[in-house]
Amino acid sequence: MKAFYFTLVTTFLVGFIAGSYIYFVTEDALPDFFAGTDVPDFEIIGDAYGGCQMLGACPSFVLRDDGTYIHQIPQRGGTPINTESRLSSVDRSEVRELLRATNLARIEQSTFSGTCPIAFDGLAYRYRIYIGETRYDLDSCRQDLEGELFEYLPHYFERP
């Protein structure tokens, strides 16, 4: 009878450990460790402009703290292509950490001093970032968008 209980307990423990491992290794199942920290609700709206306007296909995106990700590509003379998905908890945590580490008020007051890429049919970016009730309007041709946040965000223009 002891062997039966031993087998029963061992089977339960192995199943519990395997299930826990699968739960925590799965990207979307990771807990959001930054929830309730010093970065309140956020929303980032990004718009590309410049050379893409000639094609009528400048992409834009929306990222929200709840994980909503909306990617939009306008179509000349047609309805835009909207793709909505969810950010993984890892991506949400990364955006929160980058927002926490970036002094948006200082960047909003800065001045861009180079040549804007749109002068040569390149792309420039506008961001409207809401953190709680505070809104920041940033433009890569007007402000000096420096730091990891502004190196990270442009890939959301490319993601479908």
Side-chain angles (χ1 to χ4, degrees):
M1 196 61 153
K2 286 183 180 181
F4 173 73
Y5 288 124
F6 177 75
T7 303
L8 187 65
V9 170
T10 305
T11 303
F12 172 77
L13 288 175
V14 169
F16 180 78
I17 291 170
S20 298
Y21 176 78
I22 291 170
Y23 176 81
F24 285 110
V25 174
T26 311
E27 190 172 299
D28 289 333
L30 290 174
D32 192 351
F33 295 110
F34 293 108
T37 58
D38 63 340
V39 176
D41 296 345
F42 70 85
E43 180 177 68
I44 301 172
I45 302 167
D47 295 303
Y49 68 99
C52 59
Q53 289 173 312
M54 292 187 309
L55 301 172
C58 291
S60 62
F61 69 84
V62 177
L63 297 177
R64 294 191 182 111
D65 66 334
D66 67 356
T68 302
Y69 169 53
I70 303 167
H71 185 265
Q72 182 181 70
I73 299 177
Q75 301 296 306
R76 188 174 288 209
T79 56
I81 298 172
N82 289 327
T83 306
E84 186 169 337
S85 61
R86 306 241 348 127
L87 294 178
S88 69
S89 60
V90 172
D91 287 340
R92 281 195 320 266
S93 295
E94 186 167 4
V95 171
R96 278 198 182 108
E97 186 61 34
L98 290 170
L99 286 170
R100 181 182 298 120
T102 304
N103 186 340
L104 294 172
R106 183 183 59 76
I107 290 174
E108 189 174 43
Q109 299 302 317
S110 70
T111 303
F112 178 71
S113 60
T115 302
C116 184
I118 65 172
F120 304 102
D121 291 332
L123 290 179
Y125 305 106
R126 288 187 191 106
Y127 299 103
R128 179 168 288 162
I129 300 175
Y130 295 92
I131 297 183
E133 298 295 318
T134 307
R135 175 177 136 182
Y136 300 95
D137 290 310
L138 306 169
D139 187 317
S140 63
C141 287
R142 295 185 189 272
Q143 286 97 8
D144 188 15
L145 303 186
E146 61 183 37
E148 291 180 53
L149 176 66
F150 299 105
E151 293 171 8
Y152 177 79
L153 287 177
H155 86 272
Y156 285 105
F157 287 108
E158 301 162 6
R159 289 174 65 168

